[in-house]
Amino acid sequence: MSTPFNDLTDADTGRQRPGPVMLVAFEGWNDAGDAASTALEHLQLNWDATPLAELEPDDYYDFQVSRPTVRMVDGVTRRVEWPTTRLSVCRPAAADRDIVLVQGPEPNMRWRQFCAELLEHVEQLGVETVVTLGALLGDTAHTRPVPVTGTAYDSEAAKRFGLERERYQGPTGIVGVFQDMCVQEGVPAVSVWAVVPHYVSQPPSPKATIALLNKLEDILDIGIPLGSLPEQAEEWQKTVSEMADEDEDIADYVRSLEERGDAEINLDEASGEKIAAEFERYLRRRRPDGPGSTGR
């Protein structure tokens, strides 16, 4: 496959530049409230991503489950669009490396073959780190900050990227399978999950999308413009609060989630040293000459 990554020499400096980072999200079981797929779509638009490749859909999708769609072209011709996983590439202004975006519906079959094909792209593109995004339903209040958990390829990486430990055990989706196969093949892989309130599971979930993008800022060490997402999140929270207030039982339940969540906050972690480090990282990401490296 011919790609723009065959030569990783920087045209301006002549120095070897870092290999790309791959960001991955799948629609479906791994994507409560469409939070993860919306985050990838946001990056594609804001970073002006260019199409790179796509997987053959016949190998992985049941079209009675993931049906193709018909769209109008120029108001005259109808075109069938098949569900598949697509790769695109971009170079954010503050980044010192390319970023590959991978998005599509969770495949219906041949998961190991599917992941193996994605890993071929990882190898051919010289990807140095894979970051998978997901969202799950949980017992969290919509009025509180969105919990973000995750796993990394080793404890040092988890600490460096500020990932809370993910304690979930049980059935997994393609996100978990792909991360595991990356690690088995020696590719550093990080998985980041936002928790969406289970009582408001229907998409969109802009607050969870923002939480994922904020965590990506930490991992990529670059600023990510949020556009209209903060306004959407504020309106979403207001609407959900109004709906909850109309039912006394739901309002009581939300209050109980708020109290439980507040009680779990570990105030000892909010040390002056940690706050200063977080603030410095925030400022560094937003300087015009700020770094864009994952290898901090």
Side-chain angles (χ1 to χ4, degrees):
M1 179 179 63
S2 176
T3 77
F5 311 106
N6 292 334
D7 182 7
L8 292 177
T9 302
D10 190 282
D12 296 325
T13 65
R15 293 180 298 183
Q16 195 80 359
R17 56 186 169 85
V21 175
M22 177 178 281
L23 308 182
V24 184
F26 295 101
E27 305 157 19
W29 191 84
N30 315 267
D31 193 21
D34 289 355
S37 57
T38 300
L40 256 289
E41 291 170 2
H42 179 84
L43 296 178
Q44 287 173 344
L45 291 173
N46 280 270
W47 287 344
D48 195 23
T50 301
L52 184 63
E54 64 179 49
L55 275 60
E56 172 55 55
D58 286 9
D59 294 335
Y60 307 115
Y61 294 100
D62 178 349
F63 298 132
Q64 290 184 322
V65 178
S66 301
R67 290 189 176 273
T69 56
V70 175
R71 300 193 185 279
M72 298 297 294
V73 179
D74 299 327
V76 179
T77 307
R78 296 203 308 171
R79 182 177 64 193
V80 175
E81 294 186 353
W82 297 90
T84 190
T85 295
R86 295 179 170 87
L87 289 76
S88 58
V89 61
C90 54
R91 171 72 72 85
D96 65 347
R97 64 182 71 206
D98 293 301
I99 295 181
V100 179
L101 305 176
V102 180
Q103 184 182 8
E106 181 179 61
N108 304 115
M109 50 197 173
R110 302 185 183 93
W111 281 17
R112 286 179 289 185
Q113 178 181 318
F114 176 88
C115 292
E117 184 169 346
L118 280 182
L119 279 166
E120 290 179 6
H121 287 282
V122 168
E123 181 179 1
Q124 292 168 351
L125 297 173
V127 170
E128 292 190 352
T129 306
V130 172
V131 182
T132 63
L133 303 179
L136 53 87
L137 300 178
D139 296 330
T140 184
H142 71 280
T143 55
R144 294 298 187 261
V146 175
V148 176
T149 61
T151 57
Y153 44 95
D154 58 33
S155 57
E156 180 182 344
K159 182 178 180 181
R160 182 167 75 250
F161 297 139
L163 292 174
E164 298 181 16
R165 184 178 179 183
E166 172 58 68
R167 301 180 182 277
Y168 173 78
Q169 298 185 88
T172 190
I174 193 64
V175 169
V177 172
F178 182 55
Q179 185 201 15
D180 180 69
M181 288 187 65
C182 284
V183 174
Q184 288 186 32
E185 292 298 318
V187 179
V190 177
S191 186
V192 180
W193 290 78
V195 182
V196 175
H198 69 86
Y199 57 88
V200 56
S201 60
Q202 293 299 314
S205 188
K207 195 170 179 179
T209 294
I210 290 175
L212 289 172
L213 293 174
N214 286 341
K215 180 53 67 175
L216 276 180
E217 283 193 326
D218 290 340
I219 294 173
L220 300 176
D221 206 13
I222 59 175
I224 296 177
L226 296 179
S228 63
L229 281 172
E231 290 77 15
Q232 295 176 30
E234 183 177 353
E235 183 62 28
W236 173 85
Q237 181 169 317
K238 178 182 177 182
T239 301
V240 175
S241 293
E242 290 174 350
M243 294 174 61
D245 290 342
E246 294 176 358
D247 187 304
E248 185 175 347
D249 290 338
I250 294 179
D252 288 342
Y253 178 66
V254 172
R255 280 192 291 271
S256 70
L257 290 178
E258 291 172 339
E259 293 170 358
R260 184 169 65 185
D262 293 344
E264 292 175 353
I265 294 177
N266 186 351
L267 297 178
D268 292 336
E269 292 183 353
S271 65
E273 182 179 346
K274 181 177 180 180
I275 293 173
E278 290 289 337
F279 186 62
E280 171 60 26
R281 188 158 66 243
Y282 172 86
L283 293 177
R284 188 171 66 250
R285 286 198 303 263
R286 282 159 176 76
R287 284 200 297 263
D289 59 343
S293 169
T294 62
R296 290 175 289 171

